[in-house]
Amino acid sequence: MRKAQRLARHPVSVYPLVMTNDAALTRRRSDNPHEETWHIYFTDVRVGTIGVRAGVPVHADQWSWSIGFYPGMEPGTWRSGIAATFEAAREAFEAAWTELWITTPNAAFAEWRRDRDWRAAMSAKRARGEKLDSEIRSTLMRCVCGTTFDSWKPAESYQHRAHITAAHAANGTR
């Protein structure tokens, strides 16, 4: 079956709002024009996909679905399956989502959002040409006496050498 015929059977509009235990899902088409994939969202968290399977024989089920997001969900809790039609894949997805949504804590969604925001901040830093914090060399050290000093400045570091050497001798690391 050609792609145009498959698209004609289900419009490219927004996923019909589905209420499963107050868990509203929305569907957005993938940005990749070479694949027919829908990303499924619960509020702003992408929880899964429904799409045409690539490279399968025409007599095999053409649609696949999967539910899961990382970070947030525990490993092994994701669900997936295949179906003959888009409608069957959507129904299977919704049934699995209803089951999974009940057991997924709100903290899992919050963890995914924190990770998304952190990645966006890192990308923005890169786009501005800034170095990440981990790429900025620091010569600061903390002495066993609790003082922070610059190890590249002999006047600051000299007095702490005796503390550090004594601590290494005491715990056998030197």
Side-chain angles (χ1 to χ4, degrees), residues 146-165:
T147 305
T148 300
F149 64 94
D150 191 340
S151 63
W152 281 23
K153 295 181 180 175
E156 290 183 24
S157 64
Y158 187 74
Q159 62 187 353
H160 299 289
R161 292 179 191 169
H163 301 152
I164 295 168
T165 304

Side-chain angles (χ1 to χ4, degrees), residues 3 27 40 50 55 88 90 115 121-122 128 138-139 146 158:
K3 186 174 182 179
R27 173 182 76 187
I40 312 299
I50 299 175
R90 184 177 60 81
D115 183 70
M122 294 302 106
R128 292 189 303 264
S138 174
T139 57
Y158 187 74

Side-chain angles (χ1 to χ4, degrees), residues 18-30:
V18 176
M19 298 300 289
T20 54
N21 299 332
D22 298 327
L25 298 174
T26 56
R27 173 182 76 187
R28 298 180 202 152
R29 182 74 186 255
S30 169

Side-chain angles (χ1 to χ4, degrees), residues 50-108:
I50 299 175
V52 173
R53 298 168 60 203
V56 296
V58 293
H59 64 277
D61 290 341
Q62 297 293 307
W63 291 88
S64 67
W65 61 270
S66 65
I67 300 175
F69 56 95
Y70 181 85
M73 288 182 65
E74 292 295 322
T77 57
W78 64 277
R79 306 277 192 277
S80 66
I82 58 174
T85 65
F86 172 80
E87 289 78 17
R90 184 177 60 81
E91 288 172 9
F93 183 98
E94 289 175 7
W97 171 248
T98 301
E99 179 183 308
L100 195 60
W101 180 75
I102 294 169
T103 61
T104 304
N106 287 334

